[in-house]
Amino acid sequence: SKHWSDLIYRDISWTAFNRTMVANQFRQTWAVKHVHDLLPFRQRTAAYSSSGETVCPLCNQAADTFDHLLTCSDTARTQWRLQFLTNLQKHCFKSETRPDLKSFLSLTIGRLLSIYSEDPPEFSPSLQNLLRSQSEIGWANLLRGFASYQWIHLQADYIHSTSANPSWRTAYQSAEKWLASLLQFFFDEMYQLWIVHTSEMHGKDVAEQ
């Protein structure tokens, strides 16, 4: 379970989260375990496995967990991270993401994946608010579908300012769909990564375990 305060809980876009869960009903078992961090990584299964192994078999350097899956130093995983970031940039372009949000996403997700290690630049006040809000929710949790309302506010403001006389309500609804699309992108990428991970671990698809 997530140990969020009521304030942080209310800062999450549950509309975008629910849309994403509905869109993933075809892989519901995986999706539910993914959002609750209950997928059978070694760290979790060690208590009832015969081997009791908890270490990642690819790098043998850290416990096998979701967080480690994102940052494992294995060559194949490093290549995946770079491709993931490229795919994210393509998604942002196709979905007409607000320009400063594109670079913000690339930098923050790049840091989450340990692609970038340098300190982030000074963001605008609006992006600083987003950085604070999503940091409180958790950046790995963004990949699980838990996103700050601030994403919607910033994208809606961009839509409102660049479209031909749209109402704020229409812009906001479009921004909600934009965020749900971003979360769906994350789910697609995380699901494919899980399939690869289970294949590496077990030699077959056990994603529904």
Side-chain angles (χ1 to χ4, degrees), residues 1-14:
S1 61
K2 309 292 188 297
H3 301 289
W4 291 312
S5 67
D6 289 344
L7 187 63
I8 296 174
Y9 188 89
R10 290 194 296 269
D11 207 25
I12 295 171
S13 173
W14 294 106

Side-chain angles (χ1 to χ4, degrees), residues 136-188:
E136 290 175 344
I137 295 168
W139 286 98
N141 283 330
L142 178 62
L143 303 184
R144 296 189 180 102
F146 301 104
S148 168
Y149 269 116
Q150 296 292 329
W151 295 100
I152 295 175
H153 292 321
L154 291 173
Q155 181 67 11
D157 183 64
Y158 173 67
I159 295 171
H160 187 259
S161 64
T162 57
S163 300
N165 301 317
S167 68
W168 175 253
R169 179 182 177 83
T170 299
Y172 193 87
Q173 290 173 339
S174 295
E176 282 187 323
K177 292 178 181 178
W178 168 85
L179 180 56
S181 173
L182 177 64
L183 297 182
Q184 183 59 46
F185 165 80
F186 287 143
F187 268 51
D188 288 342

Side-chain angles (χ1 to χ4, degrees), residues 84-134:
F84 173 76
L85 206 58
T86 297
N87 293 345
L88 175 59
Q89 292 164 348
K90 290 178 180 178
H91 174 83
C92 287
F93 177 78
K94 291 179 181 178
S95 61
E96 299 182 344
T97 300
R98 174 175 163 150
D100 58 349
L101 279 182
K102 290 180 187 177
S103 54
F104 180 81
L105 262 171
S106 291
L107 180 59
T108 52
I109 296 300
R111 285 174 60 82
L112 173 66
L113 303 180
S114 297
I115 295 174
Y116 306 134
S117 58
E118 66 272 13
D119 292 334
E122 283 295 321
F123 296 118
S124 65
S126 58
L127 288 179
Q128 286 283 5
N129 288 336
L130 171 57
L131 180 65
R132 174 198 54 77
S133 178
Q134 190 61 55

